[in-house]
Amino acid sequence: TNSFVYDTSNNITFIGGNVGTFGFYNISSNLTKSLMLTDESDFIGASGVTTLAYDSTNSLVYLGGGSGVFGFYNISNNITKSLMLTDENNFMGTFSVNGLAYDSTNNLVYTGQQGGLLGFYNISNNITKSLNQTDESNFIGVSNILGIAYDSTNNLVFLTGNGGVFGFYNISNNLTKSLMLTDENNFMGTTNIFGVTYDSNNGLVYISGNSGVFGFYNISNNITKSLMQTDESNFIGTNF
């Protein structure tokens, strides 16, 4: 299993995995069922489903995977459809889609991929566009983007990737900037950072990566700190 996302409206957890695995766990009935037959055109095929994002406004689940797979499952009509043809300039190509984040304020879905590709799908006009030109210092380069998280409070999209890549896209000014220098003790180093999530209550962004890396970025003071010392029994250790 590669990815999970929780549907707050229906009390369901959607699941994505290798070889086109896609389904859900119904918390109320305690049953897990496949949704693979809902992909009528079989655009997912045997590609792994690596990332999921829930859209509460439109009752959709966006999914991304290997070979540039990008689409959505419509909860209302029980059909899964491709969005790959919405990429008019084909910037996504066949690069794996590793991160998705739904932006309810602007009605967008942000995408992060192998090869440093960053972009968004505009739900209103059904077009997917690149944001790579917003990275003025080119800190992402061709590093794989591994995680995406939307910050609704500050109108930002945080991203993580290979080699300790950590930064954000500012929706308001259309610029992407690095946060790698905020790691004062360099605990992340060049570790691959896979996990990122936004905490709206405390104004923090939590991150996790290889070798047991675990920490947070404080938006208020612009500092990133380790939380690895909080693991008193060292159960995480240096595990992936």
Side-chain angles (χ1 to χ4, degrees):
T1 303
N2 299 322
S3 53
F4 296 95
V5 70
Y6 176 58
D7 171 353
T8 54
S9 302
N10 299 292
N11 206 28
I12 287 172
T13 298
F14 291 92
I15 305 163
N18 291 337
V19 199
T21 295
F22 178 49
F24 69 92
Y25 168 64
N26 187 315
I27 297 168
S28 302
S29 65
N30 196 36
L31 291 175
T32 301
K33 294 186 177 183
S34 173
L35 289 171
M36 294 162 75
L37 292 179
T38 66
D39 177 11
E40 295 181 340
S41 64
D42 194 34
F43 77 97
I44 301 174
S47 297
V49 178
T50 53
T51 182
L52 298 168
Y54 173 58
D55 172 352
S56 57
T57 305
N58 301 293
S59 200
L60 304 174
V61 178
Y62 292 93
L63 56 91
S67 303
V69 162
F70 178 46
F72 68 91
Y73 167 68
N74 189 317
I75 298 169
S76 302
N77 65 16
N78 195 38
I79 293 176
T80 301
K81 291 188 175 182
S82 173
L83 289 171
M84 294 159 75
L85 293 179
T86 65
D87 176 14
E88 295 181 339
N89 296 320
N90 196 34
F91 82 94
M92 298 175 78
T94 57
F95 291 93
S96 177
V97 180
N98 298 323
L100 294 174
Y102 171 61
D103 171 354
S104 57
T105 304
N106 300 292
N107 209 30
L108 304 174
V109 179
Y110 295 95
T111 62
Q113 295 180 260
Q114 283 181 335
L117 299 180
L118 178 67
F120 69 92
Y121 167 66
N122 188 317
I123 298 168
S124 302
N125 65 16
N126 196 37
I127 293 176
T128 301
K129 292 187 176 182
S130 172
L131 288 171
N132 283 92
Q133 69 280 3
T134 66
D135 179 10
E136 294 182 336
S137 65
N138 195 35
F139 78 96
I140 301 174
V142 294
S143 297
N144 295 339
I145 296 175
L146 302 173
I148 295 275
Y150 172 60
D151 170 354
S152 56
T153 305
N154 300 292
N155 215 26
L156 304 174
V157 179
F158 291 93
L159 60 92
T160 58
N162 281 0
V165 161
F166 179 44
F168 68 92
Y169 167 65
N170 188 317
I171 299 166
S172 302
N173 65 16
N174 196 37
L175 291 176
T176 300
K177 294 188 176 183
S178 173
L179 289 171
M180 294 160 74
L181 292 179
T182 66
D183 176 10
E184 295 181 340
N185 295 321
N186 196 33
F187 77 97
M188 290 193 291
T190 57
T191 302
N192 295 341
I193 309 298
F194 287 90
V196 58
T197 189
Y198 171 62
D199 173 356
S200 58
N201 291 329
N202 299 294
L204 303 175
V205 178
Y206 295 96
I207 52 178
S208 65
N210 280 356
S211 303
V213 162
F214 175 46
F216 69 93
Y217 168 67
N218 188 316
I219 298 169
S220 300
N221 64 17
N222 195 37
I223 293 176
T224 301
K225 292 187 175 182
S226 173
L227 287 170
M228 295 160 73
Q229 70 281 2
T230 65
D231 178 12
E232 293 180 341
S233 63
N234 196 35
F235 80 97
I236 299 175
T238 56
N239 291 320
F240 174 74

